[in-house]
Amino acid sequence: AGSQGTERAPPLAGIGKAQKIDYLIEAVLEPSKIIKTGFEIETITLEDGRVFSGLVKDEKDTLRIVMPDAETRVKKADVDERVVQKKSLMPEGQHRQLSPREFADLVGYLQSL
């Protein structure tokens, strides 16, 4: 399941062969350090003051904003400002919820892909 891409994250298929263990560990510890092209978060401010942050997909006259647990569509004509962030959709600090063994298992799993 994790090897297939989603709209929220790039595919992991082949990452274990393509990347060294140092890269895999760093990606878990610091998810915003290197963000794959096309998966940058944008902050969209509308003319009415509403603000949305997420992955933005261009759909003709609208923007679809994909957030971690939801998505919304806004008309391009209603957008006041659009700014690319240097932040991953993957939250920082996820590794703190893992025991050392679970962290090692996660890195081992990524290496196996």
Side-chain angles (χ1 to χ4, degrees), residues 32-47:
S32 294
K33 188 167 183 178
I34 299 173
I35 301 171
K36 188 168 182 170
T37 301
F39 291 92
E40 302 92 348
I41 288 180
E42 291 186 50
T43 299
I44 306 293
T45 304
L46 302 182
E47 290 178 348

Side-chain angles (χ1 to χ4, degrees), residues 22-33:
D22 295 350
Y23 174 89
L24 300 174
I25 291 170
E26 185 176 67
V28 174
L29 295 177
E30 298 181 64
S32 294
K33 188 167 183 178

Side-chain angles (χ1 to χ4, degrees), residues 4-112:
Q4 296 176 356
T6 70
E7 286 190 307
R8 291 171 174 79
L12 296 176
I15 195 164
K17 291 181 182 178
Q19 300 295 341
K20 295 182 181 194
I21 191 169
D22 295 350
Y23 174 89
L24 300 174
I25 291 170
E26 185 176 67
V28 174
L29 295 177
E30 298 181 64
S32 294
K33 188 167 183 178
I34 299 173
I35 301 171
K36 188 168 182 170
T37 301
F39 291 92
E40 302 92 348
I41 288 180
E42 291 186 50
T43 299
I44 306 293
T45 304
L46 302 182
E47 290 178 348
D48 66 8
R50 290 182 293 155
V51 178
F52 298 95
S53 288
L55 301 175
V56 178
K57 308 295 179 184
D58 195 316
E59 298 179 340
K60 295 186 182 184
D61 295 337
T62 62
L63 297 176
R64 184 165 47 100
I65 306 164
V66 180
M67 297 165 279
D69 56 355
E71 67 177 58
T72 190
R73 285 179 171 77
V74 297
K75 293 180 181 177
K76 286 182 182 177
D78 295 339
V79 174
D80 182 47
E81 185 176 42
R82 185 175 175 179
V83 180
V84 175
Q85 305 296 312
K86 301 277 186 199
K87 187 175 177 184
S88 171
L89 195 58
M90 180 175 152
E92 299 281 339
Q94 292 290 356
H95 65 281
R96 292 188 200 108
Q97 298 176 24
L98 302 174
S99 71
R101 177 66 192 174
E102 290 169 328
F103 184 82
D105 288 346
L106 173 61
V107 173
Y109 170 71
L110 294 172
Q111 282 187 293
S112 75

